[in-house]
């Protein structure tokens, strides 16, 4: 859901981030190792796409510190050096996966999704409740067999509600896990998205507001 892209080539970083957002992820980008550590300390990321040759703090040191902290964030390490020795060294540092540059973007997205499924919050391939069914692999949604035309953000919010299995999800948690660091908590983004999602789900209404607490399905 939430991905950090740490890549010192800014154009490449933004291209990767744009593609991951289109695939339904909330993405932040940083261009140095010290910035990566700062963001990793502030937010609960599912995956970090980590360039190995970062300035100021090397990507290897970022990986070491992240692993030592006991964080559940999975590490997909990127590098221009693609020899077997480099891959072994990266994995030995604690990286969960390794991808050499240049790479094919569909493969990157597939690997990020695979790492997300291996995170401490495993997501089953199918989520279903009250006639709503989500396929988290194909990213399709339906209600009572009728396909739903959801935006990537609406899909992610609905997935979080289904994962809660009837429990309440706060607006703060939705912002943390479905939006990136640029989201303004005072804009009403969650409320607007929830209104659109309710409209697309149709009647009878499925999403209820728990006053002062959050939302539940």
């Amino acid at each position: 859901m939430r991905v950090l892209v740490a890549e010192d080539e800014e154009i490449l970083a933004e291209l990767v981030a744009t593609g991951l957002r289109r695939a339904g992820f909330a993405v932040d980008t940083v261009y140095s190792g010290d910035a990566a550590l700062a963001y990793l300390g502030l937010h609960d990321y599912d995956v970090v796409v980590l360039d190995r040759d970062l300035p100021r703090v090397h990507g290897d040191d970022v990986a070491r510190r992240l692993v030592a902290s006991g964080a559940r964030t999975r590490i997909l390490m990127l590098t221009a050096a693609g020899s077997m020795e480099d891959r072994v060294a990266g994995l030995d540092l604690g990286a969960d996966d390794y991808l050499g540059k240049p790479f094919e973007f569909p493969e990157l997205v597939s690997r990020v999704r695979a790492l997300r499924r291996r995170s401490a919050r495993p997501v089953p391939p199918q989520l279903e409740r009250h006639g709503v069914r989500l396929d988290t692999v194909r990213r399709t949604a339906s209600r009572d067999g009728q396909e739903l035309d959801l935006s990537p953000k609406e899909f992610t919010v609905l997935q979080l509600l289904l994962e809660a299995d009837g429990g309440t999800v706060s607006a703060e948690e939705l912002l943390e896990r479905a939006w990136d660091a640029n989201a303004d908590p005072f804009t009403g983004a969650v409320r607007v998205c929830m209104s659109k999602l309710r409209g697309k789900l149709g009647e009878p209404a499925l999403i209820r507001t728990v006053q002062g607490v959050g939302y539940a399905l």
Side-chain angles (χ1 to χ4, degrees):
M1 296 292 188
R2 189 84 184 262
V3 179
L4 178 65
V5 175
E7 165 64 61
D8 67 328
E9 296 179 38
E10 295 189 22
I11 294 176
L12 176 60
E14 294 307 323
L15 286 172
V16 169
T18 298
L20 289 172
R21 290 186 187 112
R22 288 174 179 166
F25 296 98
V27 186
D28 297 320
T29 54
V30 293
Y31 314 116
S32 64
D34 55 343
L37 289 171
Y39 270 62
L40 289 164
L42 286 172
H43 304 290
D44 183 20
Y45 291 101
D46 295 289
V47 178
V48 55
V49 179
L50 181 64
D51 180 35
R52 195 169 182 188
D53 296 315
L54 289 174
R56 293 202 285 275
V57 177
H58 197 273
D60 289 0
D61 292 323
V62 174
R64 287 191 190 96
R65 295 188 202 182
L66 185 59
V67 171
S69 73
R72 63 168 194 86
T73 304
R74 300 294 186 178
I75 302 170
L76 172 57
M77 189 168 278
L78 299 179
T79 183
S83 70
M84 183 187 70
E85 291 78 9
D86 290 307
R87 291 196 297 272
V88 169
L91 294 170
D92 283 347
L93 288 168
D96 299 280
D97 201 354
Y98 198 99
L99 191 59
K101 298 177 183 177
F103 52 83
E104 295 294 330
F105 195 78
E107 181 180 6
L108 173 67
V109 172
S110 178
R111 288 176 183 246
V112 169
R113 283 181 175 155
L115 290 178
R116 170 66 178 88
R117 291 193 293 271
R118 289 166 50 193
S119 72
R121 289 195 294 258
V123 179
Q126 298 277 346
L127 291 165
E128 187 169 4
R129 185 176 179 84
H130 299 312
V132 176
R133 174 176 291 182
L134 256 67
D135 186 320
T136 62
V137 177
R138 295 182 177 87
R139 294 191 64 80
T140 58
S142 63
R143 181 178 183 182
D144 298 328
Q146 298 295 313
E147 188 174 348
L148 299 172
D149 182 19
L150 303 182
S151 71
K153 193 70 66 186
E154 292 159 356
F155 186 97
T156 300
V157 168
L158 183 56
Q159 180 174 331
L160 291 170
L161 292 173
L162 284 166
E163 286 179 19
D165 197 25
T168 303
V169 183
S170 69
E172 291 78 9
E173 183 177 357
L174 289 170
L175 269 175
E176 170 67 22
R177 295 181 60 192
W179 275 262
D180 61 30
N182 296 317
D184 185 342
F186 302 107
T187 60
V190 173
R191 177 177 51 80
V192 171
C193 181
M194 201 63 70
S195 175
K196 292 179 179 179
L197 181 56
R198 281 173 164 146
K200 291 184 178 182
L201 285 172
E203 299 293 337
L206 290 178
I207 300 173
R208 59 189 175 91
T209 300
V210 182
Q211 203 63 36
V213 182
Y215 303 91
L217 191 147

